[in-house]
Amino acid sequence: MKKENIKLLAVTVAIFVTGLVMVYYVMENPTDSMVERMLSRENIWRAFREHLVIVGVSMAGALAVGIPGGILLSRPRFYYIGKVFENIVNIGQTVPSLAILALFYTILGLGFNTAVFAIWLYSILPILRNTFAGITSISDEVIESARGMGMTGRRILTRIELPLAAPIITAGIRTAIVINVGTATLATFIGAGGLGDLIVTGLSIRRNMIIITGAGLSALLAILLDFWIGQIKLRLVKW
Amino acid sequence: MIKIENLTKHFPGLDRPAVNKLSLEINEGEVCVLVGPSGCGKTTTMKMINRLHEPDEGEVYLNGKRASEMNQIDLRRGIGYVIQEIGLFPHMTIKENIATVPRELGWDRERINKRVRELLDLMGLDPEIYSDRRPAALSGGQRQRVGVARALAADPPVMLMDEPFAAVDPITRARLQNEFLRILDKMDKTIIFVTHDINEAIKMGDKIAVLREGELVQHSTPEELLDAPANEFVAQLVGRNRSIKRLHLIRVEDIIEEDADKYSVAAESGRKEIKDKLSESKVGALMVTDEQGCLLGRVDEQSLKKEGETAGELVDEIHDQVTADSTLNDSLSVMLESGEGYVPVVDEEKGFFRDIITLQDLLQEVRQG
């Protein structure tokens, strides 16, 4: 097996094992009956599953909008709109994630859909911005020589622009996913569940073990997804 | 081959046209150099040939066909294109870079591989070493070579070159120019070559078109340009020292007499032979060659005072030489650098000693011109 594949496998297994050991430990050694009830296998799994769904749906949506959107804005005729958009995105990014959730709660009400929508919107920003920046930062000479050699616009996009922008685009996706997993822990405040349930409950009944379980699992999830995207980048970008 | 008729291009926001009613005819197999100060419209003119810019007025004809009526993509695939910063694709290997146009044309893998090897060989880059490297791992001169190879990949009859050798140091540039002319000699390409360097224009061009503010000032051979500049502007561009510029036009191999025997001794020759030949040599030195005829160094009166019996033992190192395809100007610079009144000439391909060229030879050429 190749060295890079061994690393991928080893780190993935290590993160899974850490998570499983942690869950097993807290289930076997509850400090009292309230902790035992909160940290039942069903309850942890439910919270984790809800978290995964929020992250999965909102990330898939963010990728589906952010990358094509960034590509579109990078086309010469939209370039100035793109620049304006980039600034709006930068401002949008300064709004705290909790505020975004609260804002959409006032408009869309409580529930899973609101959480997914708000987190989706929040995750688009870094992906869109980096796709735009990655493509527009390619030197004019490279694009001009591609055009001069008779490559079509579509071929230039798929063979030149996207591969050259790949490092910056993947960096945007990594930023987005870390923010996304973190923000999803706040979804509990608008009744969308997730690992935030454990953290908030733990806080209100002052049981550290519950807080640590919720926080630990979401951190491990963020580390794992970030690592995976980093690995995808390594395999895409060979130069 | 290429006919440019009344070509005009305005860019928005500028009061005068970048190119103004330019007409020019370029024959098949000819190197036509567009030269002029920056902003004279030379690059714009070139880019209207492969339609990276669309002309406002006028037309470009390629083999009698209107460029504006051809499919833009097909047109460009049939024209080799090298730009100033070369524009190699940094994420692709050298092989992939060179294979760009063939791949767009849908060649099969085997044909592409064969062509890439052929071109790397032609450019003097070992395919085993360079095929799978990326542009960042190459020197400036090597990148320029790859850029030229990439433009030649699909064997286009026409090449457009926008200051292809501008981004390298003067020594590498002179070498690339010589190499390129040698390669061109074996092919039948029509070339539009853009430069702002009049010396490069004189050296590279069969014909030179001088442009100023989007208009054609003079279109003639380099010799005519030097002898009869059309107006004050061209005279200034060409500069005062025209006789020195003329040295760009003549190659060393055109004036040497192939007197290798007279000026060289074999490494195994003894003192007596060296002494005899030295008295005959007009430069007071002899080149020492190995059995293949390659240059090992030189011997003169000073070396004879050293210990040793054969030329191979007495030899002094020599650092300066020119290839037979260099221009007289190249050899003049080498002589000035080395401080000697002569420089040995070696074959550009096989490396064997061919003759020496002296300052007197150069003076004679200038006087004749």
Side-chain angles (χ1 to χ4, degrees), chain B residues 20-268:
Chain B
N20 194 8
K21 295 197 168 48
L22 185 85
S23 297
L24 197 64
E25 242 178 277
I26 297 143
N27 299 323
E28 191 164 342
E30 189 176 277
V31 181
C32 177
V33 182
L34 305 181
V35 66
S38 23
C40 71
K42 51 194 193 295
T43 299
T44 310
T45 304
M46 195 189 77
K47 285 182 181 174
M48 283 192 277
I49 296 172
N50 66 355
R51 290 177 61 196
L52 282 171
H53 290 323
E54 297 285 357
D56 294 331
E57 278 168 52
E59 183 63 84
V60 175
Y61 297 89
L62 288 158
N63 276 332
K65 277 200 289 188
R66 289 167 177 269
S68 61
E69 286 169 5
M70 293 165 77
N71 176 298
Q72 205 178 42
I73 298 297
D74 292 339
L75 171 78
R76 289 178 187 163
R77 286 177 188 171
I79 298 177
Y81 189 49
V82 190
I83 61 171
Q84 202 177 101
E85 298 295 332
I86 300 304
L88 291 183
F89 305 135
H91 61 302
M92 292 187 189
T93 62
I94 299 310
K95 184 178 141 188
E96 289 168 332
N97 263 292
I98 295 176
T100 306
V101 179
R103 206 161 34 195
E104 293 299 307
L105 292 170
W107 290 16
D108 60 60
R109 183 186 296 262
E110 205 175 311
R111 189 171 166 206
I112 290 178
N113 285 341
K114 192 168 157 263
R115 181 68 179 150
V116 170
R117 295 186 71 87
E118 212 173 272
L119 284 164
L120 282 173
D121 278 333
L122 185 70
M123 293 295 149
L125 297 167
D126 184 350
E128 300 296 327
I129 299 173
Y130 293 102
S131 280
D132 296 322
R133 293 207 178 163
R134 283 173 216 276
L138 265 56
S139 71
Q142 290 169 333
R143 277 205 283 270
Q144 312 264 340
R145 287 194 186 96
V146 174
V148 174
R150 185 172 70 171
L152 286 168
D155 205 12
V158 177
M159 303 249 290
L160 305 180
M161 312 184 80
D162 189 358
E163 308 218 16
F165 308 128
V168 288
D169 60 273
I171 295 168
T172 310
R173 188 181 316 144
R175 199 165 63 221
L176 288 174
Q177 289 167 341
N178 294 337
E179 269 175 25
F180 183 64
L181 285 170
R182 186 159 77 233
I183 289 166
L184 266 192
D185 235 27
K186 299 174 192 156
M187 301 183 212
D188 200 25
K189 304 258 178 246
T190 308
I191 294 176
I192 317 278
F193 191 107
V194 165
T195 181
H196 65 269
D197 176 358
I198 186 73
N199 293 325
E200 186 169 59
I202 291 169
K203 181 170 176 182
M204 306 300 285
D206 297 322
K207 284 278 187 64
I208 297 178
V210 181
L211 269 65
R212 183 195 190 185
E213 297 188 347
E215 288 175 20
L216 184 67
V217 185
Q218 183 167 9
H219 183 212
S220 63
T221 62
E223 288 84 358
E224 283 166 358
L225 195 76
L226 290 171
D227 290 339
N231 59 24
E232 190 53 31
F233 173 75
V234 180
Q236 266 188 7
L237 190 73
V238 172
R240 237 172 270 236
N241 40 8
R242 278 186 226 151
S243 33
I244 285 196
K245 291 218 159 56
R246 208 179 302 277
L247 295 178
H248 284 290
L249 285 172
I250 309 166
R251 298 197 172 272
V252 171
E253 58 198 345
D254 297 336
I255 69 157
I256 54 176
E257 284 154 353
E258 309 286 350
D259 278 338
D261 269 354
K262 207 160 133 193
Y263 295 107
S264 67
V265 286
E268 62 271 15

Side-chain angles (χ1 to χ4, degrees), chain A:
Chain A
M1 198 157 48
K2 272 196 204 152
K3 210 171 155 189
E4 49 181 13
N5 291 339
I6 296 174
K7 187 185 168 197
L8 170 64
L9 199 68
V11 175
T12 305
V13 168
I15 294 172
F16 268 99
V17 168
T18 312
L20 287 173
V21 166
M22 187 171 82
V23 170
Y24 182 77
Y25 178 82
V26 297
M27 274 167 31
E28 290 301 306
N29 305 291
T31 44
D32 57 42
S33 64
M34 277 214 281
V35 174
E36 191 174 7
R37 222 174 311 132
M38 213 38 221
L39 295 180
S40 67
R41 194 199 314 188
E42 296 74 41
N43 209 26
I44 294 176
W45 175 239
R46 179 197 53 78
F48 187 69
R49 204 182 48 219
E50 284 169 354
H51 207 91
L52 270 188
V53 173
I54 295 171
V55 169
V57 173
S58 60
M59 263 320 277
L63 288 171
V65 173
I67 293 178
I71 292 171
L72 194 70
L73 290 177
S74 71
R75 298 304 90 190
R77 75 194 110 138
F78 294 128
Y79 182 77
Y80 290 101
I81 304 176
K83 277 282 168 202
V84 172
F85 217 81
E86 197 179 20
N87 285 314
I88 296 173
V89 165
N90 284 336
I91 295 167
Q93 204 80 70
T94 64
V95 179
S97 43
L98 185 58
I100 291 270
L101 281 169
L103 197 69
F104 282 101
Y105 155 70
T106 62
I107 302 167
L108 298 171
L110 287 174
F112 172 80
N113 291 341
T114 307
V116 168
F117 182 80
I119 295 169
W120 165 74
L121 202 65
Y122 205 56
S123 311
I124 291 176
L125 305 182
I127 297 175
L128 185 100
R129 181 189 53 200
N130 279 35
T131 305
F132 176 74
I135 292 177
T136 52
S137 67
I138 298 169
S139 81
D140 291 345
E141 286 87 36
V142 168
I143 302 299
E144 199 201 288
S145 62
R147 291 210 309 139
M149 283 189 289
M151 288 178 93
T152 59
R154 181 182 297 264
R155 294 278 291 169
I156 293 176
L157 179 66
T158 55
R159 294 202 51 90
I160 312 288
E161 291 178 306
L162 286 179
L164 278 175
I168 301 178
I169 296 175
T170 48
I173 298 173
R174 288 175 86 157
T175 310
I177 209 146
V178 172
I179 293 175
N180 187 308
V181 174
T183 310
T185 59
L186 303 174
T188 180
F189 290 118
I190 55 171
L195 290 166
D197 274 2
L198 299 183
I199 300 172
V200 173
T201 309
L203 268 173
S204 57
I205 61 174
R206 303 196 176 202
R207 294 295 186 280
N208 289 350
M209 193 175 250
I210 306 177
I211 300 174
I212 290 166
T213 307
L217 285 179
S218 66
L220 284 174
L221 182 63
I223 293 169
L224 182 68
L225 293 175
D226 178 62
F227 172 72
W228 277 352
I229 294 162
Q231 289 291 304
I232 292 172
K233 188 209 135 182
L234 277 184
R235 283 161 173 72
L236 281 178
V237 181
K238 294 282 184 196
W239 40 288

Side-chain angles (χ1 to χ4, degrees), chain B residues 199-352:
Chain B
N199 293 325
E200 186 169 59
I202 291 169
K203 181 170 176 182
M204 306 300 285
D206 297 322
K207 284 278 187 64
I208 297 178
V210 181
L211 269 65
R212 183 195 190 185
E213 297 188 347
E215 288 175 20
L216 184 67
V217 185
Q218 183 167 9
H219 183 212
S220 63
T221 62
E223 288 84 358
E224 283 166 358
L225 195 76
L226 290 171
D227 290 339
N231 59 24
E232 190 53 31
F233 173 75
V234 180
Q236 266 188 7
L237 190 73
V238 172
R240 237 172 270 236
N241 40 8
R242 278 186 226 151
S243 33
I244 285 196
K245 291 218 159 56
R246 208 179 302 277
L247 295 178
H248 284 290
L249 285 172
I250 309 166
R251 298 197 172 272
V252 171
E253 58 198 345
D254 297 336
I255 69 157
I256 54 176
E257 284 154 353
E258 309 286 350
D259 278 338
D261 269 354
K262 207 160 133 193
Y263 295 107
S264 67
V265 286
E268 62 271 15
S269 335
R271 280 173 173 273
K272 167 137 180 30
E273 194 183 342
I274 299 173
K275 268 184 201 153
D276 289 348
K277 272 195 164 179
L278 256 182
S279 57
E280 299 286 311
S281 168
K282 62 180 173 186
V283 295
L286 292 170
M287 302 301 124
V288 181
T289 56
D290 64 13
E291 55 269 38
Q292 276 92 43
C294 292
L295 203 57
L296 291 174
R298 47 171 249 172
V299 288
D300 54 18
E301 291 294 342
Q302 290 296 317
S303 355
L304 283 173
K305 292 178 186 155
K306 292 200 293 190
E307 306 252 325
E309 285 311 312
T310 65
E313 292 163 2
L314 295 167
V315 67
D316 287 318
E317 260 185 78
I318 190 163
H319 300 291
D320 304 296
Q321 57 184 52
V322 293
T323 52
D325 62 348
S326 317
T327 63
L328 295 190
N329 192 70
D330 297 335
S331 51
L332 177 63
S333 333
V334 173
M335 284 182 221
L336 294 176
E337 297 262 321
S338 69
E340 304 273 1
Y342 69 94
V343 58
V345 180
V346 297
D347 189 84
E348 68 270 18
E349 272 165 23
K350 315 219 168 50
F352 55 77

